[in-house]
Amino acid sequence: MKQTINCTTGEVTVVDHTDEEKAAMAKIAEDGDKDFTSIRASRDQRLANSDWTQGPDSPLTDAKKAKWVTYRQELRDYPSTASKVSELGAWPTEPS
């Protein structure tokens, strides 16, 4: 439903969207659900935040580094686990 307001009288009119408007809104929502741009940006930030774990001067043990390697691979794979943003599961859990 959409509203129009007459600026002179202040009268509000509520009308239903046309079929064309409904189809256009559905297409926009569908296209947005296939746009992984923000997901990849968040993933890239999580990877950048964990870069320190893989350096030769990292204070982590080899076992802990291995857990971070696994986590980072899960982050890289995360966007490909679904064909739509709405189908993605929870983000991989950062090692403790």
Side-chain angles (χ1 to χ4, degrees), residues 41-53 72 75:
S42 182
R43 182 264 326 261
D44 293 348
Q45 186 61 53
R46 290 166 193 247
L47 284 167
N49 290 344
S50 64
D51 281 348
W52 69 270
T53 65
R72 289 167 56 83
L75 285 176

Side-chain angles (χ1 to χ4, degrees), residues 1-4 13-18 21-22 25:
M1 310 234 353
K2 61 182 175 180
Q3 296 181 2
T4 58
T13 306
V14 178
V15 294
D16 202 10
H17 291 283
T18 65
E21 290 170 326
K22 290 176 185 176
M25 289 186 296

Side-chain angles (χ1 to χ4, degrees), residues 7-72:
C7 294
T8 305
T9 65
E11 180 182 346
V12 177
T13 306
V14 178
V15 294
D16 202 10
H17 291 283
T18 65
D19 289 341
E20 292 81 15
E21 290 170 326
K22 290 176 185 176
M25 289 186 296
K27 175 90 170 94
I28 290 168
E30 181 180 327
D31 290 348
D33 200 25
K34 293 179 182 177
D35 184 1
F36 283 79
T37 304
S38 65
I39 297 298
R40 288 189 189 96
S42 182
R43 182 264 326 261
D44 293 348
Q45 186 61 53
R46 290 166 193 247
L47 284 167
N49 290 344
S50 64
D51 281 348
W52 69 270
T53 65
Q54 301 307 299
D57 59 346
S58 170
L60 299 176
T61 65
D62 288 344
K64 287 280 189 182
K65 276 188 180 181
K67 288 182 180 185
W68 280 95
V69 166
T70 300
Y71 167 71
R72 289 167 56 83

